[in-house]
Amino acid sequence: LPIIVTEGEIDALSLIQVGYPNVWAIGGAQKLNKWLKKIYKINPKIILALDTDSAGINAKMDAYNYCHIEKWKRPLDFWSFCISSTTPKIKDINDLLRTSPNALKAAISNIKNKFGGQYEKNK
């Protein structure tokens, strides 16, 4: 499965709570380019689940430009996997979990279906 990159730890925990195991919290939008090289070494399939505010949008565009310069595959945008009409009003993953948990679960299902990932918790 791809690594889903979030800005904050709470967003990462929200994804883990709905059953997505490959999550990396970077600790803020301004730190994304610093982490991309390390993340790409682990898994070149990356989905950016950045906040929908201006800092998150700017970081996403900077990441796309950085990947273009490095000749890496461009990360996918998490929000493109959300089908809910409420998504544009959501600030981040944790907001989505609190206000529309089914939309978050549907987005995770869409990602798992696209990439063929199955995950079972160890017993």
Side-chain angles (χ1 to χ4, degrees), residues 46-99:
I46 297 173
I47 297 174
L48 299 179
L50 304 178
D51 293 1
T52 60
D53 59 11
S54 60
I57 292 167
N58 290 338
K60 178 177 70 174
M61 299 312 294
D62 288 346
Y64 289 167
N65 290 333
Y66 184 71
C67 290
H68 176 73
I69 291 166
E70 294 292 331
K71 297 184 180 359
W72 296 335
K73 186 175 180 181
R74 181 176 166 166
L76 298 174
D77 182 13
F78 174 83
W79 301 105
S80 68
F81 291 94
C82 294
I83 300 172
S84 172
S85 61
T86 61
T87 302
K89 301 170 190 158
I90 302 297
K91 180 191 178 291
D92 57 25
I93 298 296
N94 189 52
D95 270 355
L96 185 58
L97 177 62
R98 286 184 300 110
T99 61

Side-chain angles (χ1 to χ4, degrees), residues 10-74:
I10 299 298
D11 296 322
L13 290 172
S14 295
L15 288 167
I16 292 167
Q17 183 176 337
V18 296
Y20 197 84
N22 290 351
V23 184
W24 192 311
I26 58 171
Q30 70 279 5
K31 298 180 180 183
L32 179 58
N33 285 350
K34 171 183 149 185
W35 289 107
L36 277 177
K37 193 171 199 170
K38 292 179 182 188
I39 297 168
Y40 266 97
K41 285 181 181 178
I42 294 168
N43 185 350
K45 292 185 231 168
I46 297 173
I47 297 174
L48 299 179
L50 304 178
D51 293 1
T52 60
D53 59 11
S54 60
I57 292 167
N58 290 338
K60 178 177 70 174
M61 299 312 294
D62 288 346
Y64 289 167
N65 290 333
Y66 184 71
C67 290
H68 176 73
I69 291 166
E70 294 292 331
K71 297 184 180 359
W72 296 335
K73 186 175 180 181
R74 181 176 166 166

